[in-house]
Amino acid sequence: MFFYQTENVGEAYECRGGVHENWIISPHIHEYSEILFTKKGVTYICIADKKYPVPENHLIFIRSNQIHEFTGEAPSVFCSAVFSNDFIPLFNLLTLGKELDPPVVDFSDKIQLLEAFEKADKTDIMKICGLINLVCSVVLEKGKWTPSRNGAQKQIDLRQIIEYVSINFKEDIQLSHLAKRLGYHEKYLSSALHSITGMNFKEFVASYKIDHAKKLLRSSSKSLKISEIALESGFSSLNTFNRMFLKLVGTTPSEYRNQKSK
């Protein structure tokens, strides 16, 4: 399961970034776009279960609402920045219905641009806007663009879906109920959710439940029985819980608890 970065959503003309060494970020998603370039070593980015190496002086562009995670092999130094999409309306228009595959671009001949972006005051909106669009123009020119496998990007508010699931995951929630609540057609919501997360609604809810169970297994030591954790995570059957946990995590709940307690 991934987590939604609520700090990277909703604001106008916001940009944040920094330099990181040997950093590891678990799967997450946010409304803002993101760029990351490697200054030293190699950074590995996983987007929708596909892993990309980002070598030195290369940049990866991560679009809005893409599930991603990254790790750096020591010694690894990279600079990342997330920014609201109002900085790049023309770029988003020009790339509508297209995807960058692979999303990694060689910036060896544009190091000065990357250095200028890294050093720029992120609150200087005019300068940041210009630098971001210069970076995007290079990505547009040098990147390999193909028609999107999912057509134009689906527009749904993933925050509302995650909030609904987080409140109701212990109940027997149905996609039809959620679609009606949020004002979407059920088929459209299903297609949009799959295009963003790579999961259908049942898989999405199951993934959330298992993620909740993992937190309980890590934090509760042995104060809670596995059967109690299954119930607390929205599973009415221990067998179903064990089977789903093994499928998504690769170990049984008991094995996972023992690994995390060492």
Side-chain angles (χ1 to χ4, degrees):
M1 184 56 182
F2 56 89
F3 65 94
Y4 198 97
Q5 288 189 335
T6 54
E7 69 272 22
N8 292 330
V9 61
E11 297 297 326
Y13 294 105
E14 183 174 32
C15 178
R16 291 193 305 276
V19 178
H20 313 282
E21 295 187 25
N22 311 326
W23 219 25
I24 298 176
I25 298 294
S26 58
H28 62 286
I29 191 171
H30 44 70
E31 184 181 281
Y32 292 175
S33 295
E34 182 171 4
I35 56 175
L36 179 149
F37 60 90
T38 303
K39 302 179 64 177
K40 181 180 180 181
V42 180
T43 310
Y44 291 92
I45 312 292
C46 188
I47 301 177
D49 295 326
K50 194 170 183 178
K51 193 173 185 179
Y52 302 94
V54 187
E56 192 169 312
N57 297 331
H58 283 63
L59 175 144
I60 189 166
F61 189 92
I62 302 165
R63 307 197 77 157
S64 174
N65 285 326
Q66 284 189 311
I67 302 172
H68 58 286
E69 60 181 309
F70 43 89
T71 59
E73 283 191 355
S76 172
V77 180
F78 62 87
C79 180
S80 66
V82 293
F83 50 89
S84 53
N85 294 299
D86 44 11
F87 278 111
I88 54 171
L90 182 56
F91 175 81
N92 285 334
L93 179 63
L94 292 173
T95 59
L96 187 65
K98 302 177 183 177
E99 60 184 52
L100 190 59
D101 187 21
V104 180
V105 179
D106 186 353
F107 267 70
S108 298
D109 59 343
K110 303 290 181 181
I111 298 302
Q112 289 183 329
L113 172 58
L114 296 181
E115 291 176 345
F117 181 76
E118 177 189 342
K119 295 174 182 177
D121 180 359
K122 301 301 185 289
T123 63
D124 187 340
I125 294 176
M126 287 295 290
K127 180 177 286 188
I128 286 297
C129 186
L131 289 169
I132 287 175
N133 278 278
L134 284 172
V135 169
C136 286
S137 70
V138 177
V139 172
L140 188 62
E141 176 187 357
K142 299 178 70 172
K144 181 181 178 182
W145 293 91
T146 60
S148 174
R149 288 183 290 270
N150 296 308
Q153 187 179 13
K154 303 291 185 179
Q155 298 299 316
I156 60 172
D157 192 338
L158 194 60
R159 289 172 298 166
Q160 290 183 309
I161 297 174
I162 293 175
E163 181 180 5
Y164 179 84
V165 172
S166 69
I167 295 172
N168 299 286
F169 71 94
K170 295 182 183 180
E171 308 297 328
D172 182 24
I173 55 178
Q174 301 294 323
L175 178 62
S176 57
H177 298 160
L178 176 60
K180 185 176 180 180
R181 180 185 180 91
L182 299 183
Y184 295 114
H185 189 282
E186 184 177 344
K187 288 186 178 179
Y188 176 83
L189 181 58
S190 176
S191 175
L193 182 64
H194 187 273
S195 72
I196 292 175
T197 67
M199 294 180 277
N200 62 39
F201 184 66
K202 287 186 178 180
E203 291 169 335
F204 184 83
V205 174
S207 180
Y208 190 94
K209 290 180 177 182
I210 293 300
D211 190 60
H212 182 77
K214 287 165 65 178
K215 293 175 184 176
L216 292 178
L217 288 165
R218 291 195 302 265
S219 62
S220 66
S221 184
K222 294 187 179 180
S223 59
L224 284 177
K225 297 178 181 178
I226 298 296
S227 58
E228 292 174 321
I229 289 177
L231 188 62
E232 281 294 314
S233 302
F235 291 92
S236 57
S237 164
L238 179 59
N239 288 337
T240 301
F241 172 61
N242 286 332
R243 185 172 65 254
M244 187 61 66
F245 197 96
L246 180 61
K247 177 182 177 181
L248 296 181
V249 184
T251 65
T252 66
S254 297
E255 290 170 342
Y256 182 84
R257 169 179 267 172
N258 291 334
Q259 291 171 2
K260 298 303 176 181
S261 64
K262 292 179 181 179

